[in-house]
Amino acid sequence: MQLYGTDISSRLLLGTAQYPSPAVLRAAIEASRAEVITLSLRRETVGGSGAGFWEFLKDSDCRILPNTAGCHSVQEAVVTAQMARELFGTDWIKLEVIGNSNTLQPDVFGLVEAARILCADGFKVFPYTTDDLVVGEKLLEAGCGLLMPWGAPIGSGQGLRNPDALRAMRAHFPDIPLIVDAGIGRPSDATRAMELGLDAVLLNTAVAKAGDPALMAQAMVQAIEAGWNGYIADPMDPRDMAVPSTPTLGMAELI
Amino acid sequence: MITIAGAGLAGLATAYELAKRGASVTIFEKARKPGENSVARFAGGMLAPYCERESAEEDVVRLGNQAADWWSQITSVTFRGTLVVAPPRDQAELTRFARRTSHFMEVDGHAISELEPVLTGRFKRGLYFAEEAHLDPRQALDALVTAVQSLGVEICFGISAPARVDLNCTATAASLPNLRAVRGEMAILHCPEVQLSRVVRLLHPRMPLYLVPRADGLFMIGGTMVESNSGSPPTLRSLTEMMSAAYAIHPVFAEASVVEIGAGLRPAFPDNLPRLIEHDGSLHLNGLYRHGFLLAPALAQQAAQHLLSEACI
């Protein structure tokens, strides 16, 4: 899979928040075999210097995708993205502009506006969006090279609330990388997303809040591989009637 | 004589354990007054090993379950347990918390109102950890200073420690490999209208809060965990979230006076467990993270045994 011209072989992108400890986080990253990890940036982080947690993540071999989690306005998201570029030396940014603090729904109007500003400024924007096709088109017009539709609200673990919309997105944007971002709760949710033909899954809470995060990370990556392989293997279509799975011709005649 | 750098929780508790075993101890403390430099003064003072197990390793329970008894030799400890509740829409958090912890009773609305009459009608379900306790951190630090001094420990306030000491307990000021700071923010509210006798924890996916009752109608609220070494005052967002969580526990907190706000930096190792380690010729006790009052007694005992067994050789 290519994201902004970079070859990424792991289809699981992992968030780094809410783990019981950095040691558990590291074990989960290793078990997930993720190549891209997301990282949220807060002002407190920048206020301090060389905070251990960020040093710790910089030490991992993963590519860091900073995010603008918790930003509620275009300006806030743009400033956070600029700080992240300085701090982590990357032009990749996961863009979140939150419209409602209870549902953490993206504010799609603010999102498109912020994406336009950041793309013009040379950022490679990973927009956290809804499954709305028109918003997707506007984000691509703004300069985004991929889309990250939600499966369900962030941290809710509800799985794919609207698989039909995701299938429609796949059909509508056949050549654009689509990453399900948010809402995955169980490995089967991730499999389902991949079976719909989406390119990758980004998740955090499902692993971080599991009783054994490293084991859940491993389960997730296996589920994602299974779903993807199932998709490219071109699965059979369901039928109403049975079809015998053993040959019926040339049966032995029992006289 | 045994020398210790830092008269915070770890340094004082170890000095206490050493002095009790007959050792002569000197502590060097950069601050001029007891507790001035110690992150422990921002602590909640919860002695809650079972609740902490929700996100901490089993070691925290093993090392922490004697802490309340240890502290009760030194200062007043309130043995009233912990009540864990969640807003109606976040019941899944309560179910998850119950799955990860032990030593609690499930309580219904009626039982909650018997435990804390002021919460009558506010929560239909909760978890009651009867064996847990809490203390007042500043009172406890002062009492510990008095206790060690009466055992003959000399504390040199306003004096930096020499380059080499027997035990270094300087928390985030120590430059140890893999030691990081985790910022926590707190506020102290004055709300005499609310009578609570035990720690109340409100589970919330975004802003879990603990509310610790103190004497004279005061309450400490806290709960933020920020991966940062910035010691600047609390942010408006953190305060807003904490205060609205307090309001969710009881609307009367809307009328509370905010007496104090503060932020502290907790020292932590990657697994968030404390350690005794040798580094640059000194023994270090560090990494107490958010478990200072809970784990300092057990770690102090280990440190004292280690230092005295070395002294014998």
Side-chain angles (χ1 to χ4, degrees):
Chain A
M1 155 176 89
Q2 278 212 333
L3 303 177
Y4 285 106
T6 302
D7 280 317
I8 302 289
S9 56
S10 168
R11 293 177 184 273
L12 171 58
L13 291 77
L14 193 66
T16 58
Q18 301 186 63
Y19 289 79
S21 70
V24 173
L25 166 60
R26 171 162 289 179
I29 292 174
E30 281 169 16
S32 75
R33 307 197 298 273
E35 289 167 42
V36 178
I37 54 175
T38 66
L39 195 52
S40 76
L41 188 71
R42 304 293 286 266
R43 186 187 310 190
E44 295 98 319
T45 321
V46 184
S49 60
F53 185 68
W54 319 103
E55 297 302 318
F56 177 84
L57 288 182
K58 278 185 191 169
D59 283 349
S60 80
D61 295 330
C62 298
R63 181 179 269 269
I64 289 183
L65 172 59
N67 68 35
T68 63
C71 290
H72 285 253
S73 73
V74 172
Q75 198 203 357
E76 207 184 347
V78 168
V79 170
T80 304
Q82 286 162 344
M83 290 195 304
R85 180 163 64 180
E86 289 295 310
L87 206 60
F88 299 109
T90 175
D91 53 7
W92 282 21
I93 187 79
K94 178 186 157 184
L95 181 61
E96 280 184 28
V97 182
I98 298 301
N100 180 295
S101 54
N102 282 324
T103 61
L104 300 179
Q105 267 174 288
D107 166 5
V108 294
F109 305 96
L111 180 69
V112 172
E113 194 183 333
R116 192 168 287 130
I117 295 168
L118 291 172
C119 289
D121 193 13
F123 280 93
K124 312 276 195 293
V125 176
F126 291 59
Y128 160 64
T129 180
T130 64
D131 47 31
D132 188 290
L133 296 180
V134 181
V135 173
E137 284 178 348
K138 301 271 182 207
L139 286 166
L140 297 179
E141 275 169 32
C144 296
L146 56 81
L147 297 172
M148 301 212 292
W150 64 355
I154 295 174
S156 69
Q158 293 176 4
L160 308 183
R161 290 278 293 272
N162 193 352
D164 293 331
L166 294 173
R167 186 181 295 114
M169 271 191 110
R170 177 72 295 167
H172 196 66
F173 303 111
D175 303 319
I176 302 293
L178 297 180
I179 302 171
V180 171
D181 179 9
I184 300 292
R186 287 157 193 266
S188 52
D189 302 330
T191 303
R192 202 163 169 219
M194 300 307 290
E195 285 180 353
L196 289 172
L198 277 83
D199 296 274
V201 168
L202 195 166
L203 54 85
N204 185 345
T205 313
V207 167
K209 292 285 185 185
D212 184 339
L215 188 59
M216 186 57 84
Q218 188 193 336
M220 285 294 183
V221 71
Q222 288 169 335
I224 287 166
E225 282 171 1
W228 174 251
N229 288 339
Y231 174 71
I232 55 173
D234 190 10
M236 64 173 285
D237 292 310
R239 304 169 56 97
D240 291 332
M241 293 298 147
V243 178
S245 53
T246 46
T248 49
L249 294 176
M251 286 175 83
E253 281 184 45
L254 302 171
I255 301 168
Chain B
M1 191 193 58
I2 291 173
T3 54
I4 298 179
L9 204 41
L12 290 170
T14 310
Y16 180 80
E17 286 295 322
L18 285 166
K20 261 199 339 190
R21 290 166 169 80
S24 139
V25 183
T26 301
I27 310 180
F28 299 95
E29 170 55 56
K30 212 161 68 176
R32 293 184 181 279
K33 278 190 289 185
E36 198 175 65
N37 257 0
S38 171
V39 62
R41 74 186 190 282
F42 297 114
M46 291 172 291
L47 303 168
Y50 305 111
C51 280
E52 287 300 309
R53 182 70 179 95
E54 184 255 338
S55 60
E57 306 283 339
E58 184 62 30
D59 277 2
V60 170
V61 176
R62 187 175 57 79
L63 295 169
N65 59 16
Q66 302 297 318
D69 292 334
W70 191 92
W71 281 108
S72 59
Q73 307 164 48
I74 289 158
T75 187
S76 119
V77 175
T78 311
F79 288 86
R80 300 279 290 169
T82 306
L83 180 62
V84 181
V85 292
R89 66 177 193 186
D90 295 318
Q91 290 301 302
E93 297 290 319
L94 204 58
T95 307
R96 178 178 174 277
F97 197 93
R99 234 174 26 231
R100 301 283 154 78
T101 54
S102 64
H103 294 71
F104 61 82
M105 276 167 21
E106 293 246 11
V107 285
D108 60 10
H110 178 69
I112 291 173
S113 68
E114 288 199 336
L115 287 169
E116 297 292 355
V118 76
L119 296 181
T120 301
R122 297 211 49 78
F123 299 98
K124 289 201 174 66
R125 205 181 137 219
L127 307 173
Y128 175 45
F129 293 78
E131 296 160 50
E132 297 188 333
H134 70 275
L135 51 71
D136 180 322
R138 294 173 197 185
Q139 218 175 58
L141 273 176
D142 288 346
L144 191 53
V145 168
T146 310
V148 298
Q149 283 173 335
S150 70
L151 288 169
V153 172
E154 191 189 354
I155 310 178
C156 309
F157 286 107
I159 297 174
S160 292
R164 182 166 288 199
V165 287
D166 297 305
L167 181 68
N168 185 314
C169 297
T170 54
T172 47
S175 49
L176 289 174
N178 293 322
L179 186 75
R180 73 190 199 287
V182 180
R183 178 181 155 91
E185 293 145 302
M186 55 81 83
I188 294 180
L189 311 178
H190 182 238
C191 192
E193 295 85 353
V194 174
Q195 305 286 324
L196 286 172
S197 64
R198 53 179 62 76
V199 175
V200 177
R201 291 189 183 220
L202 179 78
L203 303 183
H204 185 281
R206 219 168 45 239
M207 184 62 235
L209 182 91
Y210 42 77
L211 176 72
V212 188
R214 300 217 173 133
D216 306 322
L218 294 174
F219 295 87
M220 180 273 187
I221 57 173
T224 62
M225 308 279 292
V226 185
E227 290 287 350
S228 167
N229 63 357
S230 161
S232 53
T235 61
L236 189 135
R237 175 178 288 172
S238 297
L239 289 173
T240 309
E241 299 259 13
M242 285 199 292
M243 287 172 187
S244 59
Y247 181 75
I249 292 175
H250 203 293
V252 172
F253 280 109
E255 302 301 322
S257 314
V258 181
V259 178
E260 182 188 329
I261 60 171
L265 298 178
R266 299 169 277 208
F269 289 108
D271 56 5
N272 292 344
L273 289 173
R275 291 203 198 354
L276 265 180
I277 49 169
E278 300 276 357
H279 185 74
D280 278 349
S282 292
L283 184 70
H284 286 251
L285 197 181
N286 214 321
L288 285 166
Y289 183 51
R290 58 183 259 167
H291 302 129
F293 284 93
L294 183 60
L295 300 187
L299 269 289
Q301 284 162 359
Q302 287 178 16
Q305 277 158 15
H306 187 95
L307 289 165
L308 292 175
S309 66
E310 268 186 347
C312 293
I313 308 163

